[in-house]
Amino acid sequence: MNKFMLIVFSLVLFLTGCAEVPDNVKTNNKADESSENLDSSEKYISVEDMLAETEDVYNNDYGQIKLTDGLDLDYSDVTELYSYTLNYEEWDKDNFDKVIKFFQAHDMYTVTEETDCGTAIDGDWVQYRDSSGTRITFDYRGFTAINLGSITSDSCIVDSFNYGDEKCSQKYPLFNGDYSFEEVNSFLESYIDDWAEIDGDLPFEPAEIFVWELENGKCFYEIYYAKAADGIKFNYQLSSMLKNSDYMYLNILVSTYGEIMFWSNNNGVFNVEKGEKLEGSFVSLDSALKMLQKKFTPYSDFTVYEAVLSYEMVYDKSTDCYKTIPCWKFNLDDNSTRDEYTHRLVKNVFVDITSGKLYDYYGEEASW
């Protein structure tokens, strides 16, 4: 997993608006420690206007901040925003049995032996094996991983894109033919839908896709699926604002169409409780882009290849739970020189739409 994360190099930003924030949308986000006024051209607007005007940003000029063509900015299905509370669900053998049945139902696994494999850092965990040597690993928080294959040759990322990008229809040479992500996602849908019934009841939606190429020219997909509510995805990426570097997503590798090579829900299963509807005024996408334009150096172009409304998870020590804040999430390519491990140098930037704060997941002040 560490090798995969080499594609991400995050720079850190904190920026706070001084407009009055409704009490029911305030959070104990670490970014509260600093503040800066929004310019007069940057504004808070109603949630209806915020979501209705998103596609208008293509008519505006943001200087060195360049928008990739074809960004999915259609939020016509989103009408309301809510606060959410998340905490881990404690799992026992009954839960494990549900997962075993899930893999059996999809012809991925047949259990012949149960083996207690000792203690992991976060607590007891257990591993199941079948006669072919395939293993499923669990821990008490609902972490699940199953490895159905392996890659023996060196590989590198040759492409990456977000769901909704036109590259979703581009075909890549998998082990048994050329297939697009749209085709791969189609055969995975039944797996994803069934898994959502085990893992917290919220649906999973495709978030980010990486294409890895082997020495022989064949490729495999690495796919991240994020939970979604109200038509908005929860941010799945690693955040040091989260306790013990927790993050929630499905991670699936596919090298052969019709088969899964690897499946994991990463750190475990979260219970998600819906809270109050968020009222008041929010930062528009136009204002968020103007904030990036003001913050980033004008001497280098930054290409935005993802701009989405996202629920960011923030750890609340007082309740030992996670709270959510709605953010504009941006992934930017600063067009820097790549090294042999990096396909795209990425800045992950978040603008809290309730407060106007701009930050990324390390929680440290920007140095440039």
Side-chain angles (χ1 to χ4, degrees):
M1 192 63 209
N2 289 336
K3 185 172 181 180
F4 297 150
M5 295 306 293
L6 286 170
I7 57 162
V8 180
F9 290 85
S10 297
L11 297 177
V12 181
L13 308 163
F14 277 83
L15 182 58
T16 306
C18 66
E20 182 63 25
V21 182
D23 288 340
N24 66 319
V25 298
K26 289 180 179 177
T27 122
N28 64 340
N29 182 1
K30 189 173 181 180
D32 288 346
E33 296 173 359
S34 63
S35 65
E36 184 174 321
N37 294 342
L38 294 177
D39 287 346
S40 59
S41 63
E42 300 159 3
K43 57 187 179 180
Y44 293 98
I45 57 178
S46 69
V47 65
E48 293 83 4
D49 290 341
M50 178 189 71
L51 297 173
E53 72 159 23
T54 53
E55 294 179 321
D56 294 341
V57 297
Y58 275 109
N59 299 323
N60 302 331
D61 181 8
Y62 300 101
Q64 76 278 25
I65 306 299
K66 311 297 183 183
L67 299 178
T68 300
D69 290 337
L71 290 175
D72 184 5
L73 301 177
D74 181 7
Y75 287 96
S76 57
D77 294 336
V78 179
T79 58
E80 299 174 335
L81 301 174
Y82 289 85
S83 62
Y84 287 88
T85 301
L86 304 91
N87 53 27
Y88 273 118
E89 178 178 332
E90 296 289 331
W91 270 31
D92 56 23
K93 192 174 185 302
D94 289 339
N95 298 100
F96 300 158
D97 288 343
K98 291 179 182 178
V99 177
I100 293 294
K101 292 177 180 178
F102 164 82
F103 288 125
Q104 288 175 328
H106 289 281
D107 298 323
M108 298 169 68
Y109 195 78
T110 303
V111 174
T112 58
E113 177 187 0
E114 176 182 339
T115 305
D116 184 353
C117 292
T119 301
I121 294 174
D122 290 323
D124 292 337
W125 55 287
V126 64
Q127 195 169 80
Y128 294 79
R129 296 185 179 91
D130 70 6
S131 56
S132 69
T134 298
R135 296 178 293 180
I136 303 178
T137 303
F138 301 101
D139 75 12
Y140 73 103
R141 299 184 308 181
F143 163 79
T144 302
I146 182 169
N147 195 343
L148 299 168
S150 62
I151 298 294
T152 57
S153 116
D154 289 339
S155 57
C156 64
I157 295 173
V158 294
D159 217 341
S160 61
F161 46 91
N162 297 95
Y163 187 58
D165 190 290
E166 61 184 12
K167 290 184 179 180
C168 288
S169 60
Q170 181 173 326
K171 293 180 182 291
Y172 295 89
L174 302 187
F175 287 19
N176 61 341
D178 295 347
Y179 293 93
S180 68
F181 171 72
E182 288 179 345
E183 293 171 306
V184 170
N185 186 56
S186 180
F187 98 74
L188 289 175
E189 282 181 350
S190 63
Y191 295 82
I192 304 300
D193 291 344
D194 289 349
W195 182 262
E197 297 180 7
I198 298 173
D199 195 341
D201 295 328
L202 285 178
F204 282 90
E205 297 181 1
E208 195 164 14
I209 302 98
F210 298 95
V211 181
W212 292 77
E213 185 179 66
L214 306 179
E215 292 175 325
N216 63 4
K218 298 297 183 182
C219 295
F220 65 92
Y221 287 104
E222 179 189 9
I223 310 161
Y224 291 89
Y225 289 84
K227 285 189 175 184
D230 317 315
I232 300 169
K233 295 184 181 72
F234 289 84
N235 176 37
Y236 75 90
Q237 291 175 315
L238 172 64
S239 172
S240 65
M241 290 189 294
L242 304 184
K243 180 183 178 185
N244 298 327
S245 296
D246 299 333
Y247 41 117
M248 64 174 187
Y249 57 71
L250 282 177
N251 178 214
I252 301 174
L253 304 185
V254 174
S255 59
T256 301
Y257 178 78
E259 298 179 9
I260 292 174
M261 181 172 67
F262 175 81
W263 171 293
S264 175
N265 68 338
N266 202 272
N267 275 21
V269 173
F270 285 94
N271 287 319
V272 182
E273 297 180 8
K274 193 172 187 176
E276 295 182 347
K277 178 182 175 181
L278 301 184
E279 305 283 0
S281 300
F282 305 93
V283 175
S284 67
L285 178 58
D286 175 63
S287 293
L289 288 166
K290 288 176 180 176
M291 292 169 65
L292 298 186
Q293 180 185 2
K294 181 173 63 177
K295 187 65 177 177
F296 283 78
T297 173
Y299 303 109
S300 177
D301 287 345
F302 296 84
T303 302
V304 177
Y305 75 93
E306 181 185 37
V308 297
L309 194 58
S310 172
Y311 282 124
E312 173 71 358
M313 297 164 54
V314 180
Y315 180 60
D316 184 348
K317 291 182 179 179
S318 65
T319 61
D320 194 29
C321 293
Y322 300 90
K323 307 294 185 180
T324 60
I325 52 174
C327 295
W328 289 114
K329 173 189 173 186
F330 299 98
N331 283 354
L332 302 97
D333 181 349
D334 76 349
N335 304 308
S336 297
T337 302
R338 279 65 166 175
D339 59 30
E340 61 180 311
Y341 299 108
T342 310
H343 172 65
R344 171 180 282 145
L345 188 61
V346 174
K347 294 173 177 61
N348 302 114
V349 183
F350 301 88
V351 177
D352 181 347
I353 67 171
T354 66
S355 67
K357 297 160 190 169
L358 190 153
Y359 59 94
D360 86 349
Y361 49 64
Y362 285 113
E364 300 172 357
E365 190 173 356
S367 59
W368 78 102

